[in-house]
Amino acid sequence: MVEVVARHSWLGEVRRYDENQLLATIDIDPAVRPARLNGQTDAEVLIAAGPALDGYAFDALLTQAAEGIRAALADLESIKSFAVAHVPSELHYDYPEVSKTPLEERLFLEGFTVTASTEMEVSFDFGDSDTLVVRLDAHGRSRGAYVDR
């Protein structure tokens, strides 16, 4: 079992994922994103954090990550629109029957990766074996998209 390294008011239990990342799970209001087919409303949050980070710096990192995620959730439709407008050329469909539904309707928010104190990636499942990822800058603006295989 992975040890809980912090409890945050919004991120909940934060655990060490590996030497340089933390893992949290948040619940997303179904009004923002529909529940999964199994009824779960969770999304994974990975946060880049060195092994020696603690105290005030650790608390500030979690607070900054939570604020960035909340802002991304508030702007989710714009992020999805950016993803659709900037679909990488390497996007392919392992399941052709799924690709008949427009991509924007298939984008399902999977989670967030806070890659630096001011940058984030938002990951979407689109009914395929890959994930479509949108990079956000320090101001929450969409800056690029790529396919994570």
Side-chain angles (χ1 to χ4, degrees), residues 125-149:
D125 179 353
F126 57 93
D128 201 72
S129 59
D130 299 331
T131 304
L132 183 57
V133 180
V134 176
R135 287 186 300 274
L136 306 181
D137 69 11
H139 302 288
R141 294 180 297 231
S142 300
R143 291 296 180 208
Y146 70 93
V147 175
D148 187 14
R149 298 196 189 294

Side-chain angles (χ1 to χ4, degrees), residues 21 44-48 111-116 119-123:
Q21 282 188 316
E44 186 176 84
V45 176
L46 288 173
I47 304 169
F112 301 89
T113 302
V114 180
T115 56
E119 296 174 354
M120 183 181 345
E121 296 180 345
V122 182
S123 300

Side-chain angles (χ1 to χ4, degrees), residues 32-112:
V32 174
R33 186 213 62 195
R36 297 177 186 281
L37 294 177
N38 66 4
Q40 298 295 314
T41 59
D42 65 310
E44 186 176 84
V45 176
L46 288 173
I47 304 169
L53 192 64
D54 61 4
Y56 177 77
F58 186 78
D59 293 340
L61 174 68
L62 295 181
T63 298
Q64 206 167 24
E67 289 172 0
I69 293 166
R70 283 186 178 126
L73 287 169
D75 196 31
L76 191 59
E77 290 307 311
S78 173
I79 295 168
K80 287 170 75 172
S81 293
F82 180 91
V84 170
H86 296 87
V87 173
S89 61
E90 70 267 20
L91 187 73
H92 74 282
Y93 302 106
D94 289 337
Y95 309 105
E97 66 279 2
V98 175
S99 66
K100 293 177 184 166
T101 303
L103 180 60
E104 191 159 9
E105 292 176 28
R106 288 183 282 130
L107 290 179
F108 182 84
L109 175 65
E110 277 294 323
F112 301 89

